[in-house]
Amino acid sequence: MSDTVTSMATEQTVSVRTVDERVRGYDAAVCGAELHRWIRELYPICRSITGDGLRTTLRWIQQHVPLQIREVASGTPVFDWTVPDEWNIADAYIKNGAGERVVDFRRCNLHVVSYSVPVHRKMTRAELAEHVFTLPEHPDWIPYRATYCQPTWGFCLSQRQWDALPEGTYEVCIQSRLEPGCLSYGELYLPGRQGEEVLISTHACHPSMCNDNLSGVVVSTMLARAMARVERRYGYRFLFVPGTFGSITWLARNEDRVGRIRHGLVLACLGDAGPMRYKRSRRGRAEIDRVAEAILAEGGRSAQIRDFEPFGDDERQYCSPGFNLPVGTLSRSPYGTFPECHSSADDPDFVRPEALADSLLTCLRIIQFLERNEVWINTQPKCEPQLGRRGLFEPAWAADAARVRMAIQWVLNLSDGQHDLLDIRERSGLDAHLLFEAVDALRAVGLLAEPPVSISHPALTSGCE
Ligand code: ZN
């Protein structure tokens, strides 16, 4: 079954040359199944903000796109931070008096607090309790914890597991190494016709959890694969980074490059059953904010738009005041809004193929709009051009002829060199694909032309909104 899905998905994308074709030919069932299969492949790996689990994940992405893996040495200063020591773990357990593993890292990597320093000694249950974390309100779930800043150690157990351990002496062992090494991140740049870039960033540092954060990893990977195969107006830079540390490190190493970032999206939590949500960039009305809002409002979907706030994901770094990049955040249920978050309940069953497929299509449609958001000139601006003799008054070729004609009239009226397609979308309320159909039809009969280079419009000027 999975081989069939792979070959179909590959075949489907090989002949596609434009983002338009990619959106039109999108097969949600095929893509959703493949995205979910990818999550199941990546699920067992013990990732952290550094170390071999992260590298293994980045190498897995390299099987699908030509990702560059960058390594930055521990101790490197990055703005107010320092690249941390590298953490790796071989094994961990708690054994009872009979020598049985009552807690076993090999069964679930969430059992060990990420970045735990090594420990191997015997202790009483009361001593062990100082280092045990549970979720009493969800007694069957194992919590996810990390200790990046404190050199300590800990175990995460379900409440039921902990309650079942009698008084006695336990052998506690964490075979980890915390020592100078590297922070790894993945970077893929796909050049476009213009020098400006679209930044797509996702964190890739969580151990076995799916919505946060494997959903972002697999959707970004398939999006990168799709974008690698089509013509591009913009360059696309995909980053797979350890959360916070990775985006800070990338910004510190690429400060001279960020001026090229015209639009950006942080992708996270894209596989649960919740509606799509978009969190605006700090600028609030950047082109990416307006495009994402327009796309999420289409098709009668119950999508939600939120203003920027300095909490959440790596947008905290991209939208920090010293950068203030036009980077929004696309998710379904974001971090902290679903009870399964940062626990063993965020497993492969929690994420759904249809939600993953819908998230990827939403990304593609946002990118399609960014690529197509241009200013056009009506070549017959004095009164309405005669549409009937050009076959445009009743565009029988269109699936929705009445609305395509409305789109044709909106595009003709506002294509005065002062309005881009996004302006027309907001003024008309018509779905973007209708405007694209109208533009294609009008260009084909010579009623739209590219503006002379002397026309300056906010959409055409670089960098700042
Ligand atoms: Zn998280």
Side-chain angles (χ1 to χ4, degrees), residues 144 203 206 209 212-213 335 341-342:
Y144 162 55
H203 62 288
H206 287 28
M209 287 172 291
D212 181 16
N213 76 223
Y335 167 77
C341 190
H342 283 195

PDB file of all heavy atoms in Angstrom, residues 144 203 206 209 212-213 335 341-342, ligand 1:
ATOM      1  N   TYR A 144       6.160  15.388  28.620  1.00  0.00           N
ATOM      2  CA  TYR A 144       7.446  15.695  27.970  1.00  0.00           C
ATOM      3  C   TYR A 144       8.071  16.862  28.718  1.00  0.00           C
ATOM      4  O   TYR A 144       7.451  17.903  28.905  1.00  0.00           O
ATOM      5  CB  TYR A 144       7.201  16.060  26.505  1.00  0.00           C
ATOM      6  CG  TYR A 144       8.348  16.795  25.820  1.00  0.00           C
ATOM      7  CD1 TYR A 144       9.642  16.264  25.806  1.00  0.00           C
ATOM      8  CD2 TYR A 144       8.138  18.015  25.176  1.00  0.00           C
ATOM      9  CE1 TYR A 144      10.684  16.932  25.184  1.00  0.00           C
ATOM     10  CE2 TYR A 144       9.179  18.692  24.545  1.00  0.00           C
ATOM     11  CZ  TYR A 144      10.444  18.152  24.552  1.00  0.00           C
ATOM     12  OH  TYR A 144      11.475  18.816  23.942  1.00  0.00           O
ATOM     13  N   HIS A 203      10.276  23.879  13.523  1.00  0.00           N
ATOM     14  CA  HIS A 203      11.186  23.281  14.493  1.00  0.00           C
ATOM     15  C   HIS A 203      11.148  21.753  14.343  1.00  0.00           C
ATOM     16  O   HIS A 203      10.148  21.187  13.902  1.00  0.00           O
ATOM     17  CB  HIS A 203      10.920  23.745  15.923  1.00  0.00           C
ATOM     18  CG  HIS A 203       9.574  23.408  16.492  1.00  0.00           C
ATOM     19  ND1 HIS A 203       8.408  24.015  16.098  1.00  0.00           N
ATOM     20  CD2 HIS A 203       9.223  22.525  17.462  1.00  0.00           C
ATOM     21  CE1 HIS A 203       7.393  23.522  16.800  1.00  0.00           C
ATOM     22  NE2 HIS A 203       7.857  22.626  17.628  1.00  0.00           N
ATOM     23  N   HIS A 206      11.597  17.880  18.743  1.00  0.00           N
ATOM     24  CA  HIS A 206      10.865  17.168  19.788  1.00  0.00           C
ATOM     25  C   HIS A 206      11.031  15.658  19.617  1.00  0.00           C
ATOM     26  O   HIS A 206      11.043  15.165  18.505  1.00  0.00           O
ATOM     27  CB  HIS A 206       9.378  17.514  19.725  1.00  0.00           C
ATOM     28  CG  HIS A 206       9.043  18.893  20.219  1.00  0.00           C
ATOM     29  ND1 HIS A 206       9.921  19.944  20.164  1.00  0.00           N
ATOM     30  CD2 HIS A 206       7.914  19.393  20.774  1.00  0.00           C
ATOM     31  CE1 HIS A 206       9.344  21.024  20.671  1.00  0.00           C
ATOM     32  NE2 HIS A 206       8.122  20.726  21.044  1.00  0.00           N
ATOM     33  N   MET A 209       6.650  12.873  19.473  1.00  0.00           N
ATOM     34  CA  MET A 209       5.356  13.567  19.514  1.00  0.00           C
ATOM     35  C   MET A 209       5.026  14.049  18.101  1.00  0.00           C
ATOM     36  O   MET A 209       5.917  14.434  17.349  1.00  0.00           O
ATOM     37  CB  MET A 209       5.383  14.722  20.503  1.00  0.00           C
ATOM     38  CG  MET A 209       5.361  14.243  21.960  1.00  0.00           C
ATOM     39  SD  MET A 209       5.623  15.588  23.102  1.00  0.00           S
ATOM     40  CE  MET A 209       7.319  15.961  22.762  1.00  0.00           C
ATOM     41  N   ASP A 212       2.832  18.407  17.678  1.00  0.00           N
ATOM     42  CA  ASP A 212       3.989  19.210  18.035  1.00  0.00           C
ATOM     43  C   ASP A 212       5.141  18.231  18.317  1.00  0.00           C
ATOM     44  O   ASP A 212       5.256  17.724  19.414  1.00  0.00           O
ATOM     45  CB  ASP A 212       3.680  20.067  19.263  1.00  0.00           C
ATOM     46  CG  ASP A 212       4.857  20.946  19.654  1.00  0.00           C
ATOM     47  OD1 ASP A 212       5.759  21.105  18.824  1.00  0.00           O
ATOM     48  OD2 ASP A 212       4.867  21.435  20.804  1.00  0.00           O
ATOM     49  N   ASN A 213       6.079  17.814  17.265  1.00  0.00           N
ATOM     50  CA  ASN A 213       6.151  18.723  16.162  1.00  0.00           C
ATOM     51  C   ASN A 213       6.356  18.034  14.804  1.00  0.00           C
ATOM     52  O   ASN A 213       6.719  18.687  13.833  1.00  0.00           O
ATOM     53  CB  ASN A 213       7.241  19.747  16.416  1.00  0.00           C
ATOM     54  CG  ASN A 213       8.668  19.256  16.231  1.00  0.00           C
ATOM     55  OD1 ASN A 213       9.570  19.530  16.995  1.00  0.00           O
ATOM     56  ND2 ASN A 213       8.923  18.533  15.196  1.00  0.00           N
ATOM     57  N   TYR A 335       0.643  25.276  19.994  1.00  0.00           N
ATOM     58  CA  TYR A 335       1.220  24.855  21.269  1.00  0.00           C
ATOM     59  C   TYR A 335       0.417  25.423  22.439  1.00  0.00           C
ATOM     60  O   TYR A 335       0.077  26.603  22.469  1.00  0.00           O
ATOM     61  CB  TYR A 335       2.672  25.341  21.356  1.00  0.00           C
ATOM     62  CG  TYR A 335       3.254  25.238  22.739  1.00  0.00           C
ATOM     63  CD1 TYR A 335       3.662  24.008  23.232  1.00  0.00           C
ATOM     64  CD2 TYR A 335       3.345  26.356  23.559  1.00  0.00           C
ATOM     65  CE1 TYR A 335       4.170  23.894  24.512  1.00  0.00           C
ATOM     66  CE2 TYR A 335       3.858  26.258  24.842  1.00  0.00           C
ATOM     67  CZ  TYR A 335       4.264  25.028  25.309  1.00  0.00           C
ATOM     68  OH  TYR A 335       4.759  24.917  26.578  1.00  0.00           O
ATOM     69  N   CYS A 341      -0.836  18.187  24.107  1.00  0.00           N
ATOM     70  CA  CYS A 341       0.433  18.842  23.771  1.00  0.00           C
ATOM     71  C   CYS A 341       1.513  18.499  24.801  1.00  0.00           C
ATOM     72  O   CYS A 341       1.276  18.528  26.005  1.00  0.00           O
ATOM     73  CB  CYS A 341       0.212  20.351  23.728  1.00  0.00           C
ATOM     74  SG  CYS A 341       1.599  21.250  23.048  1.00  0.00           S
ATOM     75  N   HIS A 342       2.722  18.196  24.321  1.00  0.00           N
ATOM     76  CA  HIS A 342       3.859  17.859  25.164  1.00  0.00           C
ATOM     77  C   HIS A 342       3.552  16.688  26.099  1.00  0.00           C
ATOM     78  O   HIS A 342       3.850  16.716  27.287  1.00  0.00           O
ATOM     79  CB  HIS A 342       4.339  19.091  25.959  1.00  0.00           C
ATOM     80  CG  HIS A 342       5.138  20.037  25.103  1.00  0.00           C
ATOM     81  ND1 HIS A 342       5.922  21.032  25.621  1.00  0.00           N
ATOM     82  CD2 HIS A 342       5.279  20.109  23.756  1.00  0.00           C
ATOM     83  CE1 HIS A 342       6.498  21.696  24.625  1.00  0.00           C
ATOM     84  NE2 HIS A 342       6.121  21.159  23.495  1.00  0.00           N
TER      85      HIS A 342
HETATM   86 ZN    ZN B   1       6.690  22.050  21.694  1.00  0.00          ZN
END
